[in-house]
Structures are given as structure tokens and as C-alpha cells.
Amino acid sequence: MHVQEWLETVPAVAVYALVGLVIGLESLGIPLPGEIILVSSALLASQHGDIDPVVLGACATAGAIIGDSIGYAIGRKGGRPLLAWLGAKFPRHFSEGHIATAERSFQKWGMWAVFFGRFVALLRIFAGPLAGVLRMPYWKFLIANVLGGIVWAGGTTAVIYYVGIVAESWLKRFSWLGLVLAVLIGVTSMLVLRRKAKKATPEPVVAAE
């Protein structure tokens, strides 16, 4: 069953809780499809009045900020042995190459790696734990964490929600033309944010064989 189809079968409060939980766990360092759940829920909110987009965005933002903070605390306490353990458990996401790439991002960009990491799938999982492992000052981490959580979670919810509203309205008036234009607006907005985020992430270095 498609994610959005499944979300339509559960009550609004369950959708809020699920979004906050999945995004929180992903931010904590567990590889989960937080972005997919958020986008699907925001699109669902645009089609069903039972789901409040403001509450949805708030839950997503809270999950992102709290999850990252817990990840930071775990990383600070666990140190590099934690990264080695994660690499053994989740080699696809926490390989030595991925960890090295994320670490270079933190060394070069500092707290901005936490902020822009929200828009990059790899760094979104790494940001909290790695900031703790590298012992980034908590006040810097907290500022970047809160701002990144608000912009990413709140912004994604708002963009997808209004794209869904506009698409539905225009579809009634202009058929597929309205849908295409509405989708292009949303996709363009997301690509601009992703492009800025990727500029803050150095390219991974391929080891010579």
C-alpha cells in the first residue's frame, strides 16, 4: 500500500504522532523515510480538512529538534565507538566513506552543517550524533538545530500543502495545465533549498585502489 493511501486510513492524531516519531527517530540517527512521511502527510492535509497543516508542521518540527538533540547527547556520550557500532549495524548508511564525508562537512562548515544537513538525506541522519561525537559546543548545535528544524520541517509542510491546494483548485479550472504548474512551483522551491544545502556539503573523496 502506498504511504499516502495508508495515512488516509488512520485518524489525524495518529498522523501527527507518526510524523513526529518517524522524523524524530531519523534525526536521532536511525535510517527512516522521514521526508517521505512528511511530504505524504502534508499532501494529505491539503486534500482532507481533518489534518491541520499547522499542527502537522509543529509536530514535524518538534520531532526534528528533539530527535537531533537526543542524537547529539548519544553521540557525545558514545564517541567514535558509537560510529563504529552504527557502521556494523547499518553499513549502507554509516559506512566509513559516509562518515568521513559527513565529518569533513562538519569540519568545514561547523554549525551550518547541522542547519543545511536537514536538506540532505545523509547529513539528516548524521547531524545530531556526529555533532556530539565531534563535541560541537551545544549552544551552536542548538541554534542550528532549531533553525534547521523549523525551516526544513515547517517549510516542507507549507510548500507541499499549498502546492496540493493550488493543484486541486487549478485542476478544476485548467485541468492538467494547473496541476503541472503547481507541481513545478513546489519542485522548484525544494530544488533551490537542496541546491543550497549541497553547496554546503563537500564531495566525497574516492579512495584510490
Side-chain angles (χ1 to χ4, degrees), residues 18-40:
L18 179 67
V19 168
L21 179 62
V22 172
I23 291 178
L25 291 175
E26 181 189 39
S27 301
L28 188 152
I30 300 176
L32 290 175
E35 189 171 46
I36 294 176
I37 293 294
L38 179 57
V39 169
S40 298

Side-chain angles (χ1 to χ4, degrees), residues 40-62:
S40 298
S41 300
L43 188 58
L44 184 63
S46 70
Q47 300 169 352
H48 298 275
D50 293 340
I51 301 176
D52 188 331
V54 175
V55 176
L56 181 66
C59 290
T61 300

Side-chain angles (χ1 to χ4, degrees), residues 6 25 30 33-34 39 58 79 91 98 139 166 172 206:
W6 180 81
L25 291 175
I30 300 176
V39 169
H98 285 169
W139 68 269
V166 172
K172 293 178 180 178
V206 179

Side-chain angles (χ1 to χ4, degrees), residues 104-192:
R104 284 194 296 272
S105 299
F106 273 73
Q107 290 173 346
K108 183 174 182 179
W109 299 99
M111 63 185 291
W112 291 110
V114 177
F115 177 85
F116 285 112
R118 278 289 165 199
F119 303 91
V120 180
L122 174 64
L123 285 180
R124 188 159 58 245
I125 298 173
F126 278 109
L130 190 56
V133 170
L134 297 179
R135 296 190 174 275
M136 176 183 291
Y138 183 69
W139 68 269
K140 288 186 177 181
F141 170 80
L142 183 61
I143 292 174
N145 178 27
V146 171
L147 292 178
I150 292 173
V151 173
W152 175 73
T156 299
T157 301
V159 168
I160 299 301
Y161 174 78
Y162 285 112
V163 164
I165 293 292
V166 172
E168 185 174 3
S169 175
W170 284 14
L171 187 57
K172 293 178 180 178
R173 298 179 183 178
F174 307 107
S175 187
W176 288 104
L177 176 61
L179 177 60
V180 171
L181 290 176
V183 171
L184 285 177
I185 292 173
V187 170
T188 300
S189 300
M190 296 302 298
L191 288 178
V192 168

